[in-house]
Amino acid sequence: MSILKVDLDGSKLEAWADILSTRGLKNAIRRAVDKSATAARKVALKIIAQDVGVPVARIKPGVTKLRRTTQGDLSASFTADKLRIGILNVSGAKIGAGGLTASTHRLTGGGSASLKIRNAFLVHANGGTFVAFRKSRERLPIKGVYAEHPGTAMGQEGAAARTAWEKEANKQIAERLPTEIQKQLLAEGLPYVAPPDND
């Protein structure tokens, strides 16, 4: 699960809380978090797709819609799950006499960013086709070759998609929270005065 976690200046929130109604402040925070998480999720989808090497539409089934804030829970989240994407769906993947040549984890890096499996072959089963290779000299077992899961892209520390999500979420909340607070102050008929910096 990818949860929006940011650092906020508590002194500014306390100053706003002194003049805003409790419900109004909470609603302003909710709007800021929901909008920030929505924007950051779009960035994460784009980076996951680039890292895997497939269109965003191919990634969406493996990423849930945003779970928005509630009055009792000011967090927003989405889950990136395991999604089986055949390696041949990855842009530039090809298989021939020399085996499989493909790439995934393109932005994050690692061995799969330049994937070569000499003894890979196609398997036709249940109306579909996938790439596999034998784990030993025996005919069985075989192992299928799949692209990176969206869950892996978001779950690994330092992975491109996770880094992009965290950076965008923090940027968005820093920009949106003061704006939503100002809107709420105006809605309650209060003048907007930015809390003083305590640096």
Side-chain angles (χ1 to χ4, degrees), residues 158-169:
R162 182 165 168 176
T163 301
W165 149 256
E166 290 171 353
K167 182 178 178 183
E168 186 65 20

Side-chain angles (χ1 to χ4, degrees), residues 8 10 12 40 43 53-54 58-60 83 106 115 123 131 137 156 174-175 199:
L8 296 173
K12 290 186 179 180
V43 169
V54 295
R58 188 70 182 81
I59 293 296
K60 280 186 176 179
L83 176 67
R106 295 172 180 211
L115 184 61
V123 177
V131 176
R137 293 190 177 192
Q156 285 184 330
E175 292 172 359
D199 294 337

Side-chain angles (χ1 to χ4, degrees), residues 19-34:
I19 52 175
L20 264 179
S21 68
T22 302
R23 187 175 183 84
L25 177 62
K26 190 175 278 191
N27 284 340
I29 294 170
R30 287 184 63 195
R31 288 193 302 271
V33 170
D34 285 340

Side-chain angles (χ1 to χ4, degrees), residues 55-123:
V56 171
R58 188 70 182 81
I59 293 296
K60 280 186 176 179
V63 179
T64 63
K65 291 194 180 296
L66 190 72
R67 186 187 66 77
R68 297 180 180 277
T69 60
T70 64
Q71 280 292 324
D73 183 0
L74 297 179
S75 66
S77 63
F78 65 90
T79 303
D81 300 316
K82 288 187 175 181
L83 176 67
R84 189 170 274 193
I85 302 170
I87 198 68
L88 288 182
N89 291 302
V90 171
S91 176
K94 59 184 179 181
I95 188 165
L100 171 73
T101 303
S103 64
T104 189
H105 298 273
R106 295 172 180 211
L107 303 180
T108 299
S112 297
S114 181
L115 184 61
K116 294 184 190 302
I117 303 176
R118 234 180 58 209
N119 59 344
F121 55 92
L122 290 175
V123 177

Side-chain angles (χ1 to χ4, degrees), residues 165-192:
W165 149 256
E166 290 171 353
K167 182 178 178 183
E168 186 65 20
N170 277 287
K171 172 178 167 278
Q172 290 286 335
I173 197 74
E175 292 172 359
R176 290 177 187 271
L177 184 58
T179 301
E180 293 301 333
I181 296 284
Q182 183 176 10
K183 284 181 186 174
Q184 191 62 38
L185 287 165
L186 292 172
E188 294 186 22
L190 299 166
Y192 174 70

Side-chain angles (χ1 to χ4, degrees), residues 119-121 132-143:
N119 59 344
F121 55 92
F133 64 95
R134 289 188 175 86
K135 298 175 77 172
S136 68
R137 293 190 177 192
E138 300 296 321
R139 185 170 175 272
L140 294 173
I142 62 172
K143 183 172 177 63

